[in-house]
Amino acid sequence: MTVDPTSEATSEATSVPATARQSLSTEAARNLATTTKSAPQMQGISSRWLLRILPWVQAGGGTYRVNRTVSYTVGDGRISFVKTGSELRVIPQQLRELGMLRHFPDDEVVRSIADRFVKEEFRRGDVIVREGEPVDKIYLIAHGRIERFGQGAYGDETSLGVLSDGDHFGHHPLPDSRWEFTARAQTDVVTMTYNRRDWDASLNSSAALRRHAEAYLEAERNGRKGSEAVDLSAGHTGEVLLPGTYVNYELSPREYELSVAQTVLRVHSRVADLYNVPMNQSEQQLRLTIEALKERQESELINNPEFGLLHNADYEQRIYARTGPPTPDDLDDLISRRRGSQYLLAHPRTIAAFGRECSRRGLYPDNVDFHGHKVPSWRGIPLLPCNKIPITPERTSSILVLRTGEDNEGVIGLHQLGLPDEYQPGLSVRFMNINEQAIISYLVTAYYSAAILVPDAVGVLENVEISRFDN
């Protein structure tokens, strides 16, 4: 049998797999190559504009005291409050806005009444009082909107008006009186309430207060409410005796103690010794830990109940969006309530909602060059993103406006310099130990707080809708 060598060669050639390599694979070649690598990346790092724009002030001894004057106006029919973190107090002198206490001279009795007011909170839609029920409390509205409803001529429900910050109701309860309206919370509401039983106890303990209240109730029964004269002088000539007033200092000024954020960074000694080329493992671990610590620091400056800006903004500096979404009119109202508004802070989705409202009106806000970045602005005020401002489940959020600096009577950041093992201003990295598992531990600590020097340094546009897309 003869074999054709050509045909045999052809058969062998066709049996070679089509995928056979003709050169070294890249997987094998990488064993001899030095890989180019990036430093560890962290998605959670944000712009942290608040930490950049706050002037940081040294708080020696870990405490910063804000001395203020007590300012209030008697005669405008509205009540003012002192807000310290989550604590809320009534200014005693302001209780003379209530009909039953107007012109009552005994400051001690008025102060004792103010001390008995307690804080109550209501959610949106809650019925606070119901028409026909006994008047058992005095309500002072510290924050929020309450709408009053009554029965119309044909039995339907009619609106009797809206009460908001500083308003009050139930303030002149006649014996056996009942509510003449139903009060329902339009927004989340914070009130200071005074129980009718406490009022009766005050009457029993002070004969002067009882006589004053009886005279007021007599005028109520006879319809002689009248109006009080405003104590001022204007347009006069000659030597007229002018009315006088004074501004008192707060007897118990607010003190801010530095808050702390800490963590323990652990690195195995074998990792620290053997795997430091081309990047130092300990330094990279520390860098990412500090980034996470600063993210938490900014979140606390916004949201902490004791010193966070959202919780400590004065109630008189909070407003609501007129129609829901953040409109140019709302921002104009917000920045007009203070002198020298410098910065606007909002969640990026809130900024997008504001942009939609501007586009709908044919407005195109200018961008400004801010710290080397192009950022949107309104009325020349930078509108800076801050993802630490929360978004509620109802898809609402807030916009902050700030004035900063000690000389400007604004908002300041607080820290302390010269810490042991200081790594950055106000931040220390302290070696702790090496345990029996050869793990090295470092204590990473940041001390910080924020102080609002005067109430109008911070304003808040609350409950803005960020998910409305109108055609």
Side-chain angles (χ1 to χ4, degrees), residues 158-179:
T158 60
S159 176
L160 302 178
V162 175
L163 302 174
S164 60
D165 299 12
D167 288 327
H168 43 83
F169 57 99
H171 52 280
H172 48 81
L174 299 172
D176 301 323
S177 59
R178 295 182 177 273
W179 293 111

Side-chain angles (χ1 to χ4, degrees), residues 418-431:
L419 298 172
D421 300 309
E422 190 170 64
Y423 188 83
Q424 294 177 2
L427 187 146
S428 68
V429 179
R430 186 175 299 179
F431 171 78

Side-chain angles (χ1 to χ4, degrees), residues 389-411:
I389 299 177
I391 295 176
T392 68
E394 294 80 18
R395 299 294 185 270
T396 63
S397 189
S398 301
I399 298 178
L400 285 165
V401 61
L402 308 180
R403 183 181 68 247
T404 62
E406 276 188 307
D407 295 338
N408 210 16
E409 294 183 322
V411 184

